[in-house]
Amino acid sequence: MTDKKIIAVVGATGAQGGGLARAILADKDSGFAARVLTRNPNSAKAVALAKLGAQVAALDVDDPESVKKAFAGAYGAYCVTFFWDHFSTEKEMAEAKSMAQAAKAGDLRHVIWSTLEDTRKWVPLTDDRMPTLQGKYKVPHFDAKWESNHFFTDAGVPTTFLLTSFYWDNFIHFGMGPKKNSDGKLVITLPMGDKKLPGIAAEDIGKCAYGIFKAPSAFIRKTVGIAGECLTGAQMAATFSEVLGKEVQYNAVPPHIYRSFGFPGADDLGNMFQFKHDFEEYFCGARDPKFARSLNPSLQDFKTWLASNKAAIPMEDAGASA
Ligand SMILES: NC(=O)c1ccc[n+]([C@@H]2O[C@H](COP(=O)([O-])OP(=O)(O)OC[C@H]3O[C@@H](n4cnc5c(N)ncnc54)[C@H](OP(=O)(O)O)[C@@H]3O)[C@@H](O)[C@H]2O)c1
């Protein structure tokens, strides 16, 4: 038992939730405790968090009763869904609904819902600059998250709606790292033209979330956005070149080419990048690194993140040094 305020962390063995769990556990004198929620309490990641002092509890977000049990007795919860595990907006919305209802049932005092914009407010379904996907979305993994916001507001859950950014970790885990082109040059490929992409170290999302939990009155019923830095593809490529010590170029493909790449979700991501490109001013404006740094003073910029993570980026060797 603890007299600390328990934060129940969904996805605590993953990127967003993991950062939050570690931020809470690193702050030994705080008034907060981390409850790590996982489908497998015996996994190496769950056990590692337990060793740092976390409570570990079982959760399957697809089972509403399990979500209620996992949130019971907590002060707050970090709620995130896992679109790329199943590609289903229906599943994502059902999971968000279960979490909102469990937060209500447990009378939680503060919930952070990791959401994203409804891109259809900027690009209505009638706008054919990008294809409509699954019959009713422009960017399914964005639109379904925003469409889920009402589960939290309807239930009267004291919620902060957190707009996250592109993880730089996608260069490690999502196959987006530098690849050799037909000339043997290393390139990063993004359909962002000359526009800026807000990005963040995934670990910093959780650290920012912790800053939000520490200041509930400032953030309940608010929508806030975070990024580590907003950079063009050319700026990211230049940072890669500098940090890796070998030239990396930026390949700015048009969004329709990106959509045709054929990997699962390429159409969704092509539309997403096109939205970020076409509405750069709004999208970057909603994710101010200065604000994120006020929540998390150790917020990393891209160069700092890359210097610490370059060894983990799978990369074809282009041979020549810059
Ligand atoms: N990649 C990006 O650039 C980016 C940017 C912004 C937003 N997002 C959004 O981030 C979300 C994913 O968050 P993430 O990256 O933190 O996820 P993640 O790293 O893939 O972590 C997912 C964790 O959640 C747990 N999990 C998966 N299915 C579960 C279930 N049914 N019940 C309970 N736990 C489950 C897994 O833990 P166990 O195996 O231990 O149960 C896993 O460790 C997506 O919806 C995506 O749209 C991604």
Side-chain angles (χ1 to χ4, degrees):
M1 287 300 285
T2 175
D3 52 7
K4 292 188 172 193
K5 293 173 176 169
I6 296 168
I7 307 287
V9 185
V10 178
T13 56
Q16 297 189 25
L20 172 60
R22 282 182 286 277
I24 298 170
L25 294 166
D27 192 0
K28 295 282 178 220
D29 299 326
S30 79
F32 293 96
R35 181 183 293 166
V36 160
L37 303 178
T38 169
R39 289 166 299 180
N40 180 5
N42 298 317
S43 73
K45 285 182 179 173
V47 170
L49 289 164
K51 281 191 183 143
L52 294 174
Q55 294 180 10
V56 177
L59 167 77
D60 183 344
V61 284
D62 296 317
D63 170 2
E65 282 312 307
S66 132
V67 188
K68 273 192 192 143
K69 247 169 106 178
F71 283 11
Y75 158 86
Y78 187 78
C79 297
V80 56
T81 45
F82 313 106
F83 182 83
W84 301 109
D85 285 5
H86 47 67
F87 298 85
S88 164
T89 51
E90 277 72 26
K91 211 167 174 182
E92 190 160 46
M93 288 192 279
E95 291 167 353
K97 186 176 179 185
S98 291
M99 290 190 252
Q101 291 181 340
K104 178 68 184 170
D107 195 24
L108 269 54
R109 311 319 303 161
H110 191 182
V111 164
I112 298 178
W113 161 230
S114 179
T115 188
L116 287 165
E117 284 86 350
D118 185 342
T119 62
R120 296 164 296 185
K121 286 187 191 153
W122 288 264
V123 190
L125 296 185
T126 50
D127 186 332
D128 60 7
R129 78 177 77 195
M130 60 179 75
T132 293
L133 303 177
Q134 300 178 29
K136 51 183 174 180
Y137 302 109
K138 287 300 186 182
V139 183
H141 79 282
F142 269 54
D143 301 346
K145 288 186 178 62
W146 186 269
E147 213 171 298
S148 300
N149 288 2
H150 78 92
F151 296 127
F152 295 88
T153 36
D154 292 354
V157 174
T159 305
T160 303
F161 300 90
L162 179 63
L163 299 170
T164 57
S165 289
F166 174 87
Y167 308 170
W168 292 321
D169 308 66
N170 294 332
F171 291 121
I172 304 175
H173 305 297
F174 222 79
M176 292 188 178
K179 304 239 176 2
K180 252 194 251 179
N181 69 6
S182 52
D183 300 329
K185 301 270 190 208
L186 284 171
V187 294
I188 52 166
T189 298
L190 291 167
M192 286 299 296
D194 61 356
K195 304 293 195 226
K196 288 186 173 173
L197 174 67
I200 194 164
E203 188 75 8
D204 277 332
I205 296 176
K207 289 185 179 177
C208 290
Y210 185 41
I212 291 170
F213 276 124
K214 287 194 285 188
S217 57
F219 298 119
I220 284 173
R221 278 178 278 280
K222 299 272 168 45
T223 298
V224 297
I226 52 170
E229 203 173 3
C230 301
L231 294 171
T232 63
Q235 288 172 321
M236 283 191 271
T239 306
F240 265 111
S241 301
E242 186 186 341
V243 172
L244 300 182
K246 53 179 119 182
E247 190 187 4
V248 175
Q249 297 179 349
Y250 170 46
N251 177 27
V253 289
H256 73 275
I257 297 293
Y258 197 93
R259 281 191 283 272
S260 73
F261 279 167
F263 62 82
D267 51 358
D268 188 329
L269 288 180
N271 282 8
M272 174 194 80
F273 284 120
Q274 187 174 356
F275 167 68
K276 293 179 182 182
H277 171 279
D278 290 2
F279 301 95
E280 178 201 30
E281 196 178 331
Y282 157 73
F283 198 77
C284 290
R287 291 160 170 78
D288 181 0
K290 278 201 206 93
F291 167 68
R293 190 158 285 110
S294 73
L295 296 170
N296 163 24
S298 66
L299 185 80
Q300 298 170 76
D301 61 15
F302 182 55
K303 190 173 167 185
T304 307
W305 176 84
L306 190 57
S308 308
N309 289 276
K310 62 182 178 181
I313 298 176
M315 211 162 32
E316 297 161 351
D317 189 3
S321 286

